[in-house]
Amino acid sequence: MTAATSIQQAAIDAGRQPLLSVRGVKTYYGNIIALKGVDMDVHEGEIVTLIGANGAGKSTLMMTIFGNPRAREGKITYAGQDITKMATHEIARMSIAQSPEGRRIFPRMTVFENLQMGASLHNMAHFDQDLERVCTLFPRLKERLQQRGGTLSGGEQQMLAIARALMSRPKLLLLDEPSLGLAPLIVKQIFEIIKELNQKDGMTVFLVEQNAYHALKLAHRGYVMVTGNITMSGTGKELLENPQVRAAYLEGGHH
Ligand SMILES: Nc1ncnc2c1ncn2[C@@H]1O[C@H](COP(=O)(O)OP(=O)(O)OP(=O)(O)O)[C@@H](O)[C@H]1O
Ligand SMILES: [Mg+2]
């Protein structure tokens, strides 16, 4: 191989490197192991979903990526950088945003102030433009900018949590159960917004979901987690058609 072609090959390999890579990650709560050695990749431009039953460790994986709790073993890299031991606030500066489970908006702050909190980590020059954008995505929030977060309905709080994460213009968006407790119509709207963000803006999405049907329909690829281990992976279509996945997560499910 000539020097030129090896350089080209290196560039191609670099392009194939996942945006987010999780290798052999083990996370504990005290002495109890919650993640038992997780391997997972998310490539740029993908929507990747993680499904699994209650207590499987899905939220733990998402939080471990964000550095809290921290991986006790293994390695997490983002855009080629080792983030395993980085502080949460440093990770947040790396164009990763998180919409955590249970919404975690600031209840005493107005919708507008909540959105400011999402943006304040980054360049305020884009604030008006980004506000306009999330208001277009979520017209409900636009009507309620001065309302306190805590008085929003459950669905509206979920929209606010996602909108707040978007205010930082993330390259990678981590969403923990955006459909939780929402009416089917709102779930549909939220999944359409995720699809639009991915297709129009090229946003990479890691989606933790119990609503396996919707998640697998939307995602390019998926992983199944059972008690701290990844037990299956494949394209969204493959997993949707897989008899084991169907039996465990889809039959009699909420779709
Ligand atoms: N702060 C904590 N302290 C101790 N144990 C915890 C803590 N958080 C989670 N766990 C335990 O770790 C395991 C994985 O929890 P996790 O929240 O990651 O599951 P999950 O897959 O997100 O479940 P769900 O679908 O119910 O949200 C569970 O057994 C849970 O009880
Ligand atoms: Mg969870």
Side-chain angles (χ1 to χ4, degrees):
M1 197 187 278
T2 67
T5 56
S6 74
I7 289 166
Q8 278 166 0
Q9 192 56 47
I12 291 165
D13 291 345
R16 281 204 200 106
Q17 262 179 24
L19 183 60
L20 176 74
S21 138
V22 174
R23 284 290 170 275
V25 162
K26 295 187 183 175
T27 300
Y28 292 74
Y29 293 111
N31 292 326
I32 298 169
I33 188 161
L35 300 180
K36 299 174 180 170
V38 170
D39 293 333
M40 188 196 73
D41 287 326
V42 180
H43 292 268
E44 193 163 350
E46 274 190 318
I47 300 177
V48 172
T49 190
L50 176 66
I51 61 171
N54 290 121
K58 305 182 298 298
S59 297
T60 302
L61 177 57
M62 205 179 105
M63 294 188 297
T64 302
I65 293 166
F66 236 78
N68 183 30
R70 213 167 266 295
R72 203 177 284 181
E73 281 180 46
K75 189 171 174 183
I76 304 170
T77 57
Y78 174 74
Q81 252 188 290
D82 187 347
I83 63 165
T84 323
K85 295 199 163 64
M86 257 188 206
T88 295
H89 69 274
E90 288 172 338
I91 296 170
R93 275 202 224 109
M94 299 192 67
S95 70
I96 309 179
Q98 181 187 29
S99 172
E101 191 182 53
R103 304 182 188 112
R104 310 239 181 98
I105 55 144
F106 302 107
R108 288 165 173 278
M109 290 187 182
T110 65
V111 169
F112 181 78
E113 288 162 346
N114 267 279
L115 294 172
Q116 272 183 322
M117 292 301 288
S120 62
L121 293 166
H122 289 265
N123 192 346
M124 289 303 284
H126 300 298
F127 182 79
D128 289 346
Q129 205 185 331
D130 293 344
L131 181 67
E132 186 64 42
R133 188 162 150 270
V134 299
C135 285
T136 308
L137 283 174
F138 299 104
R140 291 264 198 116
L141 296 181
K142 190 175 187 173
E143 298 159 16
R144 291 171 172 77
L145 286 175
Q146 296 314 321
Q147 190 174 328
R148 279 178 196 249
T151 65
L152 294 173
S153 78
E156 289 162 358
Q157 288 189 33
Q158 191 61 268
M159 292 175 200
L160 179 55
I162 299 169
R164 189 181 59 183
L166 293 176
M167 289 299 287
S168 67
R169 296 196 167 193
K171 197 166 165 182
L172 173 65
L173 178 64
L174 309 175
L175 295 169
D176 196 349
E177 309 231 18
S179 76
L180 193 71
L182 302 184
L185 189 65
I186 312 274
V187 172
K188 206 161 165 259
Q189 283 172 4
I190 287 186
F191 277 68
E192 270 162 21
I193 287 169
I194 297 169
K195 192 172 181 177
E196 194 180 317
L197 288 167
N198 175 257
Q199 290 183 346
K200 286 202 186 144
D201 301 356
M203 195 178 285
T204 306
V205 181
F206 177 55
L207 173 68
V208 169
E209 258 300 335
Q210 275 204 56
N211 197 326
Y213 177 76
H214 277 104
L216 292 173
K217 277 224 116 158
L218 175 74
H220 299 104
R221 291 189 306 113
Y223 292 89
V224 179
M225 185 176 266
V226 179
T227 56
N229 283 309
I230 299 288
T231 56
M232 261 187 273
S233 66
T235 65
K237 194 165 180 288
E238 281 164 359
L239 291 174
L240 263 181
E241 287 166 0
N242 181 296
Q244 277 171 284
V245 173
R246 295 191 74 85
Y249 306 106
L250 297 169
E251 314 262 280
H254 29 214
H255 59 270

